[in-house]
Amino acid sequence: MPPPVLSDWEQRLWDQVHSQMPAETPAPVGVDREVGDGDDIDLGGGVHAVCVAAPGHTPGSVAYYLPEPRVLFTGDTIARGHDGTVMLGVFNVDPDRATASLRRQAELDTDIACFGHGQPVIGDAATSLRAAVR
């Protein structure tokens, strides 16, 4: 995997985080199912998720959107700070593609957004996502 492109403030955070991580590389995990942009995933009980390609954080980053309840799971592509601000996730290998992925997710009709880091936005999350784009 290519290394992330870090801003000055991210470099300090990266150094802090990595100083606390074990030196050993974890073993790879198996893949049960490969997914691609637009793939429909049956979650059971009549609930479906749509895979949304969101490269930039990593080349294969994806988000999952549940259209019926209007819930978005962004993974690490988007985050929410301690102050509640929604922002582009950090440690991106391709910041331009990450920004484009944020824009794409902000176009979804999202009521609830759940992030890999930070508290979810509950209620009209699309407005917070679009503010992050601006």
Side-chain angles (χ1 to χ4, degrees), residues 53-115:
H57 178 67
T58 62
S61 288
V62 295
Y64 293 99
Y65 180 64
L66 285 68
E68 190 60 34
R70 300 173 39 227
V71 176
L72 176 65
F73 293 91
T74 70
D76 287 342
T77 65
I78 304 171
R80 190 169 186 205
H82 296 294
D83 65 355
T85 302
V86 175
M87 62 186 189
L88 183 66
V90 298
F91 308 153
N92 297 301
V93 299
D94 187 333
D96 291 336
R97 288 184 83 192
T99 300
S101 293
L102 167 62
R103 283 190 184 99
R104 181 167 185 225
Q105 291 175 78
E107 292 172 0
L108 298 169
D109 181 22
T110 303
D111 189 47
I112 298 171
C114 303
F115 312 103

Side-chain angles (χ1 to χ4, degrees), residues 5-87:
V5 177
L6 303 173
S7 64
D8 289 341
W9 73 268
E10 284 179 305
Q11 183 65 57
R12 291 188 297 276
L13 182 58
W14 176 269
D15 293 342
Q16 178 185 6
V17 168
H18 279 267
S19 71
Q20 301 171 26
M21 300 201 50
E24 310 84 44
T25 301
V29 297
V31 175
D32 293 326
R33 176 181 172 191
E34 289 189 25
V35 294
D37 189 44
D39 284 357
D40 181 78
I41 301 155
D42 183 356
L43 300 177
V47 179
H48 290 262
V50 177
C51 179
V52 179
H57 178 67
T58 62
S61 288
V62 295
Y64 293 99
Y65 180 64
L66 285 68
E68 190 60 34
R70 300 173 39 227
V71 176
L72 176 65
F73 293 91
T74 70
D76 287 342
T77 65
I78 304 171
R80 190 169 186 205
H82 296 294
D83 65 355
T85 302
V86 175
M87 62 186 189

